[in-house]
Amino acid sequence: MIRVLSVFGTRPEAIKMAPVVHALRDAPRQFESIVCVSAQHRAMLDQVLGVFGLDADHDLDLMTAGQSPAEVTARVLQSLPPLLRQIRPDVLLVQGDTMTTFAAAFAAYLERIPSGHVEAGLRTGDRYQPFPEEMNRVMTTRLASIHFAPTAQARAALLAEGIPAADVHLTGNTVIDALLQTVREDYTFRSPRLASLDPRRRVILITTHRRESFGPPLRSTCAAIRDLAERFSDLQFVLPVHPNPEVKQTVERLLCDLPGMYLIEPVDYLEFVHLMNRSYLVLTDSGGVQEEAPSLGKPVLVLREVTERPEGVEAGTAVLVGTDRNRIVQVASELLSSRAAYEQMANAVNPYGDGQASGRIVKALVERFG
Ligand code: UDP
């Protein structure tokens, strides 16, 4: 029996860990699966737990208003060790690149408990972009004992940093497992605003929340959206507004009066997946959305200057447009007016996974710790 403690704290971590936790729970003779949430982002985490029917066995409940990355780290390092000493897992699993990811892996290291890193090996090579995620990934790599790389490039990055090949498993990204387990064609939106979208008009879905986007880049993205609305009269724009005040105040000020604009509260994962499915085009600075949208055949314009996910750009599912107003308008206009350009992107193969990643992770855990 392998005792696995999964620790996560934010919405994207929970989405990407949910299929792993379910896969562990589906093998009760091999695993004892224990879940601990840091609740770094309380409300958005709880939404995901609800959608996936997950209960946390332990809840550090450490979110505070205006918390800094250092404060989150300090709180995880304070509250997790007593739990680790009590549970003594055979392995601790973390996912991705948040302060919870790094701090939990570090706490495990200090207790001499091995940790496994899900979605290991993503790199931009720029220590400040994305910030602080790039450094969290690098440090989690140093701390972890077993690494689950979503793509061949991520695996190569780990090997290039000296991680032994035997410790690296190429699994695909669990985000695709979650997506394929969730999406269905006969879905009806629960949100009255989303249910009121005009079926004859195309939907552009926008998400933006990264620190690097705050200020001028976000204002430039908003200007590009206004330009597109002027050029194409059949568009509806849906923007689930991230609760960060930097995002909320800017988009509300610059976009609230735009006809066809749906500024909505962040929606739960179930609604969001089907919103992606309903969309024609996705504009995003999110990591997870870049990975998901291609599985639904939706071209993605990435609102970032650099990406740690170059595979989508290389496969032709995404274009790195940055936040320059003219560039966004130019690339989006091409896809909105040329059927051939659109089809080429929509039909490109998603390089991020086939929906079987969690099964591969579970198998690797059995081989290593069984
Ligand atoms: N998502 C969601 N509701 C929303 C926006 C996004 O459930 O209103 C999901 C989306 O499907 C993806 C994840 O949240 O799986 C992405 O999270 P986010 O963009 O916050 O973080 P990142 O992926 O950039 O780390």
Side-chain angles (χ1 to χ4, degrees):
M1 198 68 154
I2 309 167
R3 183 176 289 175
V4 183
L5 176 64
S6 304
V7 183
F8 48 89
T10 65
R11 173 176 69 190
E13 287 165 85
I15 291 169
K16 291 172 170 180
M17 282 304 288
V20 179
V21 172
H22 279 301
L24 293 170
R25 294 196 171 162
D26 286 347
R29 284 211 296 267
Q30 284 170 306
F31 293 101
E32 180 190 354
S33 163
I34 304 169
V35 169
C36 170
V37 295
S38 71
Q40 180 176 335
H41 291 161
R42 181 81 265 173
M44 293 199 291
L45 170 78
D46 289 345
Q47 268 188 352
V48 179
L49 296 178
V51 167
F52 284 96
L54 286 181
D55 284 321
D57 302 292
H58 302 274
D59 191 336
L60 305 182
D61 196 22
L62 53 71
M63 180 174 165
T64 55
Q67 64 192 5
S68 72
E71 284 161 350
V72 174
T73 308
R75 278 192 214 102
V76 174
L77 286 174
Q78 221 160 27
S79 47
L80 192 56
L83 198 63
L84 294 179
R85 289 194 281 271
Q86 184 197 320
I87 298 173
R88 292 282 350 149
D90 296 305
V91 56
L92 174 134
L93 286 186
V94 290
Q95 195 285 333
D97 54 22
T98 69
M99 298 325 299
T100 296
T101 313
F102 156 64
F106 190 34
Y109 165 80
L110 293 173
E111 296 297 325
R112 295 176 185 271
I113 292 167
S115 54
H117 187 198
V118 177
E119 196 184 74
L122 274 62
R123 299 286 186 271
T124 60
D126 177 339
R127 58 205 266 125
Y128 290 107
Q129 287 204 68
F131 174 84
E133 289 85 356
E134 176 77 0
M135 192 52 70
N136 287 338
R137 292 173 185 146
V138 170
M139 291 189 298
T140 306
T141 293
R142 299 324 310 171
L143 294 164
S145 306
I146 182 164
H147 312 258
F148 304 107
T151 65
Q153 285 197 38
R155 180 173 183 274
L158 294 168
L159 300 183
E161 289 176 16
I163 304 300
D167 296 342
V168 182
H169 299 265
L170 179 59
T171 59
N173 199 311
T174 56
V175 78
I176 309 299
D177 304 24
L179 178 73
L180 299 182
Q181 287 164 21
T182 306
V183 70
R184 35 176 234 261
E185 285 312 318
D186 61 346
Y187 186 80
T188 7
F189 289 112
R190 276 173 282 127
S191 144
R193 291 211 67 205
L194 294 179
S196 75
L197 284 166
D198 182 342
R200 291 157 304 181
R201 295 170 67 188
R202 295 183 286 185
V203 171
I204 308 241
L205 172 62
I206 306 139
T207 82
T208 175
H209 72 288
R210 307 213 74 86
R211 271 163 216 268
E212 308 87 271
S213 305
F214 296 171
L218 186 53
R219 291 200 290 278
S220 168
T221 300
C222 292
I225 292 167
R226 295 195 80 97
D227 290 347
L228 288 171
E230 216 165 274
R231 270 197 198 189
F232 298 90
S233 55
D234 72 320
L235 298 182
Q236 304 167 96
F237 299 88
V238 182
L239 200 170
V241 184
H242 198 274
N244 188 305
E246 289 271 355
V247 178
K248 208 170 152 61
Q249 283 161 14
T250 306
V251 299
E252 281 174 0
R253 185 164 53 83
L254 298 177
L255 295 174
C256 69
D257 64 325
L258 189 70
M261 182 82 223
Y262 292 67
L263 288 178
I264 58 172
E265 294 281 312
V267 288
D268 75 24
Y269 178 68
L270 201 56
E271 294 268 274
F272 189 77
V273 161
H274 294 94
L275 189 51
M276 276 193 287
N277 208 22
R278 167 71 181 83
S279 304
Y280 191 76
L281 194 62
V282 180
L283 272 56
T284 189
D285 65 5
S286 154
V289 177
Q290 275 176 70
E291 296 158 342
E292 293 162 336
S295 283
L296 302 173
K298 309 301 172 181
V300 179
L301 304 194
V302 183
L303 305 167
R304 295 200 204 180
E305 303 306 325
V306 289
T307 180
E308 64 286 52
R309 293 172 171 86
E311 297 89 346
V313 177
E314 285 157 18
T317 61
V319 181
L320 196 61
V321 289
T323 50
D324 178 72
R325 173 179 179 176
N326 294 333
R327 170 112 174 109
I328 297 171
V329 173
Q330 180 214 332
V331 178
S333 299
E334 164 83 358
L335 291 168
L336 288 163
S337 41
S338 157
R339 194 73 216 171
Y342 183 85
E343 291 293 337
Q344 198 180 347
M345 276 189 86
N347 295 325
V349 174
N350 187 349
Y352 295 109
D354 58 1
Q356 306 296 324
S358 21
R360 294 187 190 104
I361 290 170
V362 163
K363 190 163 166 276
L365 288 173
V366 172
E367 282 166 16
R368 177 71 172 261
F369 299 99

